[in-house]
Structures are given as C-alpha cells and as structure tokens.
Amino acid sequence: MEGMFIPTRAAGLETLADFVPRAGRDYARDRNHDTGASRDNVSGLSPYLRHRLLTEREVVAAVLERHPLSSAEKFVQEVFWRTYWKGWLEQRPEVWRRYRRDLAELSPPNGSPSHDYEEAIAGRTGIDAMDAWVHELIDTGYLHNHTRMWFASIWIFTLGLPLQLGADFFYRHLLDGDAASNTLSWRWVAGLQTAGKTYLATASNISRFTDGRFSPSGLATTARALVEDSLPSPEAIPTAHSAPAEGRIGLLLHEEDLDAASLFSEHLWLGSGSGLVAVAGSADPDARSPLGASDAVRDFTAAALEDGVERASREVGRPGRVLPDALPSTALEWAASERLDTVVVPHSPVGPVQERMLTLEAALGSEGVALTTVRRRWDTLAWPHAARGFFPFRERIPGLLREQGL
Ligand SMILES: Cc1cc2nc3c(=O)[nH]c(=O)nc-3n(C[C@H](O)[C@H](O)[C@H](O)COP(=O)(O)OP(=O)(O)OC[C@H]3O[C@@H](n4cnc5c(N)ncnc54)[C@H](O)[C@@H]3O)c2cc1C
C-alpha cells in the first residue's frame, strides 16, 4: 500500500476494485494486523473517502454487490465509524472549539513545546515501535488503525504528552486527516469520549498484531482517564438547504467533498439545464494546524482538488478554475467575474473548512451574493443517530442502508 495514494478519483476506484474481493470475512478476520507497509488486509481507501474522491455510499454499494451484509458487516461498520464521528462532532462543535483553543495555547508563540515532544516527533523516544511509526507516518501519510491506537495510547500514558499535540501531529501528516475521526479517536483512547474508559497499549498485543515486528518495553501499565470540564448539551443538526438556488450559480468545491457528479445526482436542480454557469475549487490544508500541514498532505490535497474541479467542469461543460488560494477575496473576485448570484458549496462538517465557509458566506453576503450549502443524503440520514455511543448507532446501520437503497 506504501506510496499507493494517487490523488485522483480514478486511482481511488482502482483501489476499491482491488479491495472489494477481500472486504468480506477476510477483512473481519485480518484487519487488526499491521503487517507493515505492503499490507492488503485493509482497504487503504481513507484518503479517498476523506476528500470524497469516493463517497461512502459508492464504497459500501460496491462491497455489498459482491458480499452479503452478513459477511461484509465489519467493513461496512468501519465506514460508518467515519459517519458516526462526523455526526457526533456536528452535534458538539464545542469539542472542536476547545481542541483548537487548547492547541493554540500549547503551540508557539503562546506555548513552547517541551524537549520530550520535540524528541517524540523526531522519532527519538527510544521506544523502537514509536520511533518507527513516526517515520512511517511522515514518509507515507498513513498508519494502520491499530497502530494509531497504540501510538495515541503510548503518547498519552507512557510519554505523558498532551493529547492535543499528538492529535495535531497526526492531523498535520495523515493524508486522511479528518477533524472528527482524528480528534475524537484521540479522545476515545484518552478516556474522554467514553468517559473513564481508556485504551492501554501493551507489548504483547503489539507483538501479536505486528506479527512480532515490535515488542516495546517500558510501556505504561495503567491508563488513568483524562478529565475535562463538562460539555454543553448536544446541538441540533441544522436542516439542510432544500430550496434550489436561482439566477447565475457557481459551484465552489473544497477539500471535504470532491465528487460533483454524485452531488448533482442527489440535487437535480444543480444538474444540466440549471443556472450552473461556473465551477471552481479552493483548498487550504494548512488550516489543519497552527504549524500547517506536511508537504505530502499539501500535495495530495492540491492534486485531489485539481482532479475534482476537472471532473466537475467536464460534467457541467464549462471550464473550471482552481483558485490560487482560499482567501474570501479570491472567491469574491471569481464570483464577480462570473457575475454570480449564488455560490453553491458542498456541506463542510465541523472543522477548518467550515470555519472558512462561514467567513466566505459573510464576505459574499456583503456583495449581495448568496452562499447555499448542499448536504448529502448519507449524512442527513445518519448524523442525527450519532447522538450517543457507537453501539446504538450501529443498530441503525441496516435501516440506513435500506433508506439508501442498498
Ligand atoms: C488515534 C486515531 C486517529 C485517527 N485519525 C483518523 C483520521 O484523521 N482520518 C480517518 O479517516 N481515520 C482516522 N482514524 C481511523 C482509522 O484509523 C482510519 O480510518 C483507517 O486506519 C484508514 O485505513 P483504511 O482506509 O485502510 O481502513 P479500513 O479498515 O479499510 O476501513 C475502511 C474505511 O472506513 C473508515 N474507517 C475505518 N476505521 C475507522 C475508524 N476507527 N474511525 C473512522 N473511520 C474509520 C475509513 O474511512 C476507512 O477508509 C483514526 C484512528 C485512530 C485510533
């Protein structure tokens, strides 16, 4: 899988086709093993799903065409973990705001990172597994799920480093780096997500599931849950816009959702014959962190955006533009040059892109241009069920699949 993340939808579709035969009982049996970079027991689809070069719906549909749900249940549930985390955070934006605040306080110029932190992210903890994983993450932009759990556990409970700095290190380097999946998985390991329930990495578990590649000594033997101020009650998920936009419409894609064709098929008023006259895209991966994103993440995001804009422009039959930056003024210039009445954007869940879209909405509004958000049925149907733990959510999966016609 190493070096296999080519940032196009076509490459994502190839990865999917290659994986589908293994998505049934093989996946359920083998998925927890991290056998090293050539692993084929997991899909390697996360960078594609995260940017919606592929959609959750089409990945699940392809798997269910080949396997009955009873065999592919585990894989389908894993895809729904992504949906669950996003729906959960959508109802608790305060968790994201606190994470960003804490991180700003810990990062320069407000905070000065400790020597131990600097050593950890340089791969010099002296714990061979951790040091190898740091290099693997930096070199490939990817870590296996089990390894992410061990890494976060050792970071928090053995090294005693702040959760926020570990989550930030992941978020800067993971090609699939996602505000909800990353932040909430770190919180889950730390005993914040399921209050009091922590995840403790042990040498025997690591040795067993890395097929003996690692068996680190000196790991923490207890994991006391972190604590936090109580959270406000969950917020309702805002209803999705349903009224079609009028006048001259421009579609502005961004790094949360790069598959215009399937968006059009859900929102027919956007499709051919509509007032859609222009297509553009902008991305800002550096907004992930006070320290910006890694070069690998920047490159992947830029190429994925280009691919998304090109496909959308072909779909619409108009030239598409990749905007040179994600500043509101640049999007405003584009809207003015195309004489747009409305800019349509795919919904951006809680995270940096949403922050950017809120600023953009205000800037466009002051020039008399409306911003309309379109949300996918997949999210609209599933997110409200992510109000509590994953287990009640999981019970809903068969019903959600039926509602999706799957
Ligand atoms: C500390 C930590 C941080 C993480 N950060 C991220 C992140 O930033 N972005 C991200 O996409 N995933 C994150 N994950 C979840 C998971 O590790 C990755 O999604 C998975 O390893 C991706 O590899 P894959 O595509 O081969 O997964 P597969 O096992 O093939 O799973 C298929 C798809 O299901 C989804 N998925 C699988 N497991 C999870 C999970 N536990 N949570 C959410 N979605 C899941 C992914 O979209 C994945 O592509 C994190 C997990 C941990 C423990």
Side-chain angles (χ1 to χ4, degrees):
M1 217 160 71
E2 189 174 9
M4 289 300 287
F5 301 113
I6 299 163
T8 61
R9 174 170 164 78
L13 286 170
E14 263 180 48
T15 307
L16 175 62
D18 181 53
F19 174 69
V20 160
R22 302 191 300 275
R25 297 200 191 283
D26 293 353
Y27 175 83
R29 189 188 58 228
D30 299 334
R31 70 184 191 93
N32 277 327
H33 288 261
D34 185 355
T35 52
S38 64
R39 59 184 77 83
D40 64 2
N41 54 335
V42 289
S43 70
L45 286 170
S46 54
Y48 301 102
L49 284 165
R50 180 258 175 267
H51 296 91
R52 280 198 166 145
L53 287 169
L54 301 182
T55 66
E56 294 87 340
R57 188 186 188 285
E58 72 182 319
V59 166
V60 169
V63 165
L64 291 179
E65 246 169 59
R66 175 72 177 250
H67 306 275
L69 182 57
S70 55
S71 311
E73 192 178 25
K74 198 71 216 169
F75 180 77
V76 172
Q77 281 171 7
E78 292 306 313
V79 175
F80 271 103
W81 263 108
R82 171 181 156 78
T83 308
Y84 167 76
W85 286 136
K86 295 194 95 60
W88 193 95
L89 193 60
E90 209 66 4
Q91 299 176 61
R92 292 168 186 81
E94 175 64 11
V95 169
W96 174 250
R97 286 193 287 266
R98 280 191 199 173
Y99 163 74
R100 292 287 254 190
R101 225 169 22 231
D102 293 346
L103 188 58
E105 275 167 26
L106 288 162
S107 309
N110 305 317
S112 50
S114 66
H115 176 71
D116 288 352
Y117 164 80
E118 297 290 1
E119 291 294 283
I121 63 167
R124 286 195 299 261
T125 62
I127 302 172
D128 61 348
M130 277 301 266
D131 296 345
W133 294 330
V134 162
H135 291 299
E136 184 179 349
L137 174 61
I138 292 173
D139 293 347
T140 68
Y142 179 88
L143 287 177
H144 182 279
N145 180 59
H146 218 161
T147 300
R148 297 184 199 202
M149 291 162 61
W150 297 321
F151 188 114
S153 179
I154 295 171
W155 180 280
I156 298 166
F157 300 118
T158 300
L159 301 175
L161 291 168
L163 169 160
Q164 294 85 350
L165 289 180
D168 180 59
F169 180 58
F170 266 27
Y171 198 26
R172 274 158 48 209
H173 287 280
L174 284 170
L175 301 182
D176 65 28
D178 177 84
S181 293
N182 187 53
T183 315
L184 302 183
S185 297
W186 275 83
R187 285 170 52 84
W188 179 84
V189 169
L192 290 168
Q193 199 58 24
T194 311
K197 189 174 168 288
T198 53
Y199 177 76
L200 181 67
T202 64
S204 61
N205 186 259
I206 294 172
S207 172
R208 174 171 166 218
F209 286 100
T210 58
D211 298 353
R213 287 186 302 128
F214 299 110
S215 183
S217 54
L219 301 190
T221 52
T222 55
R224 270 251 307 275
L226 304 192
V227 286
E228 65 181 343
D229 293 341
S230 60
L231 291 168
S233 321
E235 293 177 20
I237 294 172
T239 47
H241 279 278
S242 53
E246 311 227 320
R248 288 175 67 83
I249 303 170
L251 174 69
L252 181 66
L253 294 175
H254 52 66
E255 62 268 46
E256 294 291 330
D257 196 320
L258 292 169
D259 189 40
S262 56
L263 259 188
F264 293 161
S265 68
E266 284 191 30
H267 301 276
L268 293 175
W269 57 268
L270 261 178
S272 60
S274 74
L276 186 52
V277 293
V279 173
S282 69
D284 183 15
D286 283 336
R288 289 184 181 199
S289 160
L291 297 173
S294 71
D295 287 345
V297 166
R298 282 190 200 133
D299 292 348
F300 187 95
T301 312
L305 182 72
E306 205 170 303
D307 180 68
V309 169
E310 204 217 286
R311 280 181 288 105
S313 88
R314 243 185 290 134
E315 196 74 22
V316 177
R318 303 257 177 171
R321 268 180 62 191
V322 173
L323 302 183
D325 57 52
L327 295 172
S329 54
T330 307
L332 269 178
E333 271 168 36
W334 166 68
S337 70
E338 299 286 351
R339 292 178 289 112
L340 300 180
D341 300 300
T342 303
V343 171
V344 172
V345 291
H347 177 75
S348 42
V350 170
V353 181
Q354 188 180 85
E355 292 162 10
R356 188 166 99 225
M357 290 302 135
L358 289 172
T359 315
L360 178 61
E361 184 170 22
L364 288 170
S366 68
E367 298 294 321
V369 180
L371 186 103
T372 291
T373 297
V374 285
R375 199 160 70 205
R376 287 175 185 273
R377 230 170 101 72
W378 182 274
D379 300 335
T380 296
L381 291 173
W383 283 353
H385 299 301
R388 295 180 292 135
F390 182 72
F391 295 100
F393 178 83
R394 195 176 69 178
E395 304 297 308
R396 301 278 181 170
I397 292 176
L400 287 168
L401 292 174
R402 273 195 302 277
E403 285 179 291
Q404 288 282 330
L406 297 173

